[in-house]
Amino acid sequence: MSRRVPAVTVIGGGVIGLAIAWRLARRDVRVTLLERHTPGAGASGAAAGMLSPLKEAGEPGPFLDLGLRSLARYPEFVREIEACAEMEVGYRRDGRLDVAFGADAADGLRRQKELQETVGYTGRLLVPAELRRLEPGLAEDARLGLATEHDHQIDNERLVRALWLAAEREGVDIRSGAGAAGVETDGPGGPVTGVRLDSGEAAATETVVVAAGAWAGALDLPRPLPVRPVRGQIVVLRLVPPALQRVTWGPGCYLVPRADGRLLVGATVEEAGFVVATTAEATRRLLECAIRVVPALAGAEIQGFQVGLRPATPDGLPVIGADPATPGLHFATGHFRNGVLLAPETAELVAAEILDGQAPDPAFTPARFG
Amino acid sequence: MSRRVPAVTVIGGGVIGLAIAWRLARRDVRVTLLERHTPGAGASGAAAGMLSPLKEAGEPGPFLDLGLRSLARYPEFVREIEACAEMEVGYRRDGRLDVAFGADAADGLRRQKELQETVGYTGRLLVPAELRRLEPGLAEDARLGLATEHDHQIDNERLVRALWLAAEREGVDIRSGAGAAGVETDGPGGPVTGVRLDSGEAAATETVVVAAGAWAGALDLPRPLPVRPVRGQIVVLRLVPPALQRVTWGPGCYLVPRADGRLLVGATVEEAGFVVATTAEATRRLLECAIRVVPALAGAEIQGFQVGLRPATPDGLPVIGADPATPGLHFATGHFRNGVLLAPETAELVAAEILDGQAPDPAFTPARFG
């Protein structure tokens, strides 16, 4: 490894770390990105790519604002990435469908429509006949639907590859296989001096962005972060006719059809530490839900599985911003199920803080954790 | 391919074809075995290896007799195969456990015990406390158990490898990748003259044994056989403590622990033509049953899947014996879920008919199909 001092070192090659590295490099910063495995090996590679801020944030507040701002950035973000990487990332704006089977779930959809309207989203409630005209494969006993045109989706695997390519083309030095063990400072309270690698080697740097996802809490940092892994499992089916056309949320799962003929069924939310495994009950439950929503999926072939560890925080909010106690230490983690959605805005916020001195919303500051 | 005339050509490299080829070769017959893929690629490779004649034959009769005779041959069969192949095949004689949850199922176990006793099997009914002493991982609401010491099991994958090795050591010419398309005769009603391969090539032979499993019905034969494929799916889990010790049958599935730490959960019975696929509903149902029987399996890792096409006949009996209308044409197929159990006895019967002129039980004759 060279002894040069890069301007910024990013720890973590998920969508967050890649987007930050790419954004900084486009603003002429020399960036090194350290990734323990290969880019996208963590939660970014096990995701359905839904861009649905309202499904994740149940109420108005800084988290919903963050999601809406990031969603608004997506068209331009995709345009730039696709141009730079010279590949498509499967960006689609064909909305989302929620399906309710029971009376309580139907009431939930009506409330969801009202919440959506408070932020300017329109949604259309669909009676069973309308539902099945829209998606003929849906179960006949579906009671109510809510069609929302505002949500988008992206192929997260293609997005990772495109960001990786784009970052390298902008000059980011991506070091696959270089896991970071911790951040070193010039004594307690002193500024960042480098990153210690798993190998024991130290890489000198004055500015670090911790974008290590679920592993952020396991790094040796001047400010330990209470970030923990929350496992998510996805089952990948092969679509069978009558194929589902759009992203559909059912009772306990979502179904995401991809242009390549796959149907992603996700996702579990499990406290399982760092154990990455496809398990019996999670698979059973996802399959049950998928067949509940689209009965013809009973005969669909299982193509594979995805498992990821999402970075969760005690208050459910991401950690974005500089650590006031350690000059040069920045965070961009804790995005939980929202890393893909929040990547564009997070990259902008981190770049603006490092280069322009503009602090992000204090709701996301690392200083909120003792 | 050489122009020599082998004494016997066996079509199919599953456990049935391999056992026949090996048995004939041990009696100094020159044998050629044609296998479209590789030995064990069909139903023999997707099986749990349970040797349980009474689970399959619900009543006394020639089928149960066949199973019991074959089970009785197993100890010597395994001894010979293991000696010849110089490898173990995972033969275990630790019996079987049936578990009932509902009152009807418990009555069924009591009737099963009575049936078993008519053929000299003893079984022990177990109340819940006894059940959980035997298998601490069983669900607490299991109502009744039936422990039967007579059944055996074998690792079918190891058995295929051992038979393959043993057959080659006895001089059998195993031709992987040589699929048979049909059997040729010297005019209608005339004797067998050869086997036509998928490639169009003909291999001369005067004696053919059709052991092609589910594909026997798709061969071009002087006597078309009404053998059809019935799909079976198995889910392979990694055993977690408290591990299951013995083969256990629950409501809708069986669980077979293997010495290598795998737990096989099987099996579906599906009319799906020749479509070999792991499907959503089958997987869901097997997982549901496994977790019902051993709740700790909820967290077990899914290691993989097996899918096989079993050869089924209209009357549920195998087809074993010479075709009286075509000299030189012999059958050994239609074993449905019982190929592994019935391999030793089937091999003896076919060898005795070809070499000693002793016909098998007429219940199994191919002549019963118009």
Side-chain angles (χ1 to χ4, degrees):
Chain A
M1 188 164 298
S2 81
R3 305 297 304 162
R4 67 179 181 162
V5 180
V8 174
T9 299
V10 176
I11 299 176
V15 283
I16 297 292
L18 288 168
I20 291 168
W22 173 68
R23 179 55 65 199
L24 287 171
R26 276 176 85 89
R27 294 189 62 183
D28 299 322
V29 178
R30 205 162 81 196
V31 184
T32 299
L33 186 147
L34 305 174
E35 162 57 46
R36 181 166 286 129
H37 301 290
T38 50
S44 303
M50 290 174 297
L51 309 176
S52 301
L54 275 154
K55 288 304 284 191
E56 297 292 336
E59 53 183 25
F63 187 51
L64 179 55
D65 292 345
L66 186 72
L68 291 171
R69 279 201 308 275
S70 206
L71 180 63
R73 282 196 193 277
Y74 246 97
E76 175 65 9
F77 178 70
V78 166
R79 201 194 56 70
E80 283 186 75
I81 288 285
E82 289 187 337
C84 188
E86 294 178 279
M87 66 174 280
E88 287 189 273
V89 295
Y91 182 49
R92 289 163 61 175
R93 309 198 203 185
D94 42 10
R96 185 189 78 227
L97 178 66
D98 291 89
V99 179
F101 287 85
D104 288 352
D107 287 343
L109 283 195
R110 292 186 192 97
R111 282 194 304 274
Q112 188 181 316
K113 180 168 181 289
E114 284 167 24
L115 170 65
Q116 293 184 180
E117 284 165 355
T118 65
V119 296
Y121 270 44
T122 55
R124 204 157 40 96
L125 289 171
L126 304 171
V127 298
E130 294 170 312
L131 257 181
R132 270 194 305 288
R133 250 197 317 276
L134 196 67
E135 289 287 0
L138 284 179
E140 297 203 355
D141 59 338
R143 176 190 288 252
L144 189 68
L146 172 60
T148 309
E149 304 304 322
H150 301 258
D151 284 0
H152 308 168
Q153 65 158 306
I154 197 161
D155 183 327
N156 53 295
E157 291 162 273
R158 296 183 69 84
L159 178 63
V160 165
R161 287 208 298 280
L163 277 169
W164 184 352
L165 261 172
E168 288 195 324
R169 287 185 178 177
E170 293 288 347
V172 175
D173 178 12
I174 295 183
R175 302 191 184 166
S176 292
V183 171
E184 298 183 335
T185 59
D186 187 8
V192 166
T193 57
V195 174
R196 202 174 59 261
L197 300 181
D198 289 343
S199 62
E201 202 179 355
T205 186
E206 290 175 4
T207 308
V208 166
V209 180
V210 175
W215 290 266
L219 288 175
D220 181 16
L221 299 175
R223 177 189 298 277
L225 268 196
V227 172
R228 70 182 195 284
V230 174
R231 188 167 69 191
Q233 301 188 44
I234 287 174
V235 179
V236 184
L237 301 178
R238 187 192 296 268
L239 267 173
V240 287
L244 204 66
Q245 298 298 319
R246 70 209 70 220
V247 172
T248 302
W249 287 70
C253 70
Y254 55 72
L255 295 91
V256 176
R258 285 275 167 86
D260 59 10
R262 294 184 302 160
L263 178 73
L264 278 63
V265 183
T268 61
V269 179
E270 303 167 77
E271 301 284 347
F274 284 98
V275 178
V276 175
T278 295
T279 62
E281 171 63 9
T283 301
R284 185 201 69 72
R285 205 150 49 72
L286 292 172
L287 291 172
E288 178 176 78
C289 178
I291 295 166
R292 178 83 187 86
V293 176
V294 180
L297 291 175
E301 186 169 1
I302 296 180
Q303 286 211 302
F305 300 93
Q306 299 181 353
V307 196
L309 302 179
R310 315 175 188 96
T313 58
D315 58 11
L317 298 179
V319 186
I320 305 170
D323 182 349
T326 306
L329 180 59
H330 297 257
F331 289 99
T333 181
H335 292 78
F336 194 41
R337 293 158 55 112
N338 308 288
V340 176
L341 168 64
L342 298 178
E345 178 69 4
T346 300
E348 286 300 331
L349 291 174
V350 171
E353 183 162 47
I354 291 175
L355 301 178
D356 312 324
Q358 294 172 7
D361 190 317
F364 309 128
T365 177
R368 71 190 193 268
F369 301 118
Chain B
M1 186 165 298
S2 80
R3 305 296 307 163
R4 67 181 180 162
V5 180
V8 173
T9 299
V10 175
I11 299 176
V15 283
I16 297 291
L18 288 168
I20 291 169
W22 173 68
R23 179 53 67 198
L24 288 170
R26 276 177 86 90
R27 294 189 62 185
D28 299 323
V29 177
R30 206 164 82 197
V31 184
T32 299
L33 186 147
L34 306 174
E35 161 56 45
R36 179 167 287 132
H37 301 289
T38 51
S44 303
M50 289 174 296
L51 308 176
S52 302
L54 275 155
K55 287 304 284 191
E56 297 293 334
E59 54 183 26
F63 187 51
L64 179 56
D65 293 346
L66 186 73
L68 291 170
R69 280 202 307 277
S70 206
L71 181 63
R73 282 196 192 277
Y74 246 96
E76 176 64 10
F77 178 71
V78 165
R79 200 193 57 71
E80 283 186 74
I81 288 286
E82 289 187 337
C84 188
E86 295 178 280
M87 67 175 280
E88 288 190 272
V89 295
Y91 183 49
R92 290 163 61 174
R93 310 198 202 184
D94 43 10
R96 185 189 77 227
L97 178 65
D98 290 270
V99 180
F101 287 85
D104 288 353
D107 287 343
L109 283 195
R110 293 187 191 96
R111 284 193 304 273
Q112 188 182 316
K113 180 169 182 288
E114 285 167 23
L115 170 66
Q116 292 184 180
E117 284 164 357
T118 65
V119 297
Y121 270 42
T122 55
R124 204 158 40 95
L125 290 172
L126 304 171
V127 298
E130 294 170 311
L131 257 181
R132 269 193 307 287
R133 251 196 316 278
L134 197 67
E135 289 287 359
L138 284 178
E140 296 205 353
D141 61 338
R143 175 190 288 251
L144 189 68
L146 172 61
T148 308
E149 303 305 322
H150 300 259
D151 284 1
H152 308 170
Q153 66 157 304
I154 198 162
D155 183 327
N156 52 296
E157 291 162 272
R158 296 184 69 84
L159 178 63
V160 165
R161 286 209 299 279
L163 277 168
W164 183 353
L165 261 172
E168 288 196 323
R169 286 184 179 178
E170 293 289 347
V172 176
D173 179 11
I174 295 183
R175 301 190 185 167
S176 293
V183 172
E184 297 184 334
T185 60
D186 188 7
V192 166
T193 56
V195 174
R196 201 173 60 259
L197 300 181
D198 289 342
S199 61
E201 203 178 356
T205 186
E206 290 175 3
T207 308
V208 166
V209 180
V210 175
W215 290 266
L219 288 174
D220 182 17
L221 300 174
R223 177 189 297 277
L225 270 196
V227 171
R228 71 182 193 284
V230 174
R231 188 167 69 192
Q233 299 189 45
I234 287 174
V235 178
V236 184
L237 301 178
R238 187 192 297 267
L239 266 173
V240 287
L244 205 65
Q245 299 298 319
R246 71 210 69 219
V247 172
T248 302
W249 287 68
C253 69
Y254 55 71
L255 295 90
V256 176
R258 286 275 167 85
D260 59 10
R262 293 184 302 160
L263 178 74
L264 277 64
V265 182
T268 60
V269 179
E270 304 166 78
E271 302 284 348
F274 284 98
V275 178
V276 175
T278 295
T279 61
E281 170 62 9
T283 301
R284 185 201 68 74
R285 206 150 48 75
L286 292 172
L287 292 172
E288 178 176 78
C289 178
I291 295 166
R292 178 82 185 89
V293 176
V294 180
L297 291 175
E301 185 169 1
I302 296 180
Q303 286 211 299
F305 301 93
Q306 298 180 355
V307 196
L309 301 178
R310 315 176 188 95
T313 58
D315 59 11
L317 299 179
V319 186
I320 306 171
D323 181 349
T326 306
L329 180 58
H330 297 257
F331 289 98
T333 181
H335 291 78
F336 194 41
R337 293 159 55 112
N338 308 287
V340 177
L341 168 65
L342 299 177
E345 179 68 4
T346 300
E348 287 299 332
L349 291 173
V350 171
E353 183 163 46
I354 291 175
L355 301 178
D356 311 324
Q358 294 172 7
D361 190 317
F364 308 127
T365 178
R368 72 189 193 269
F369 301 117

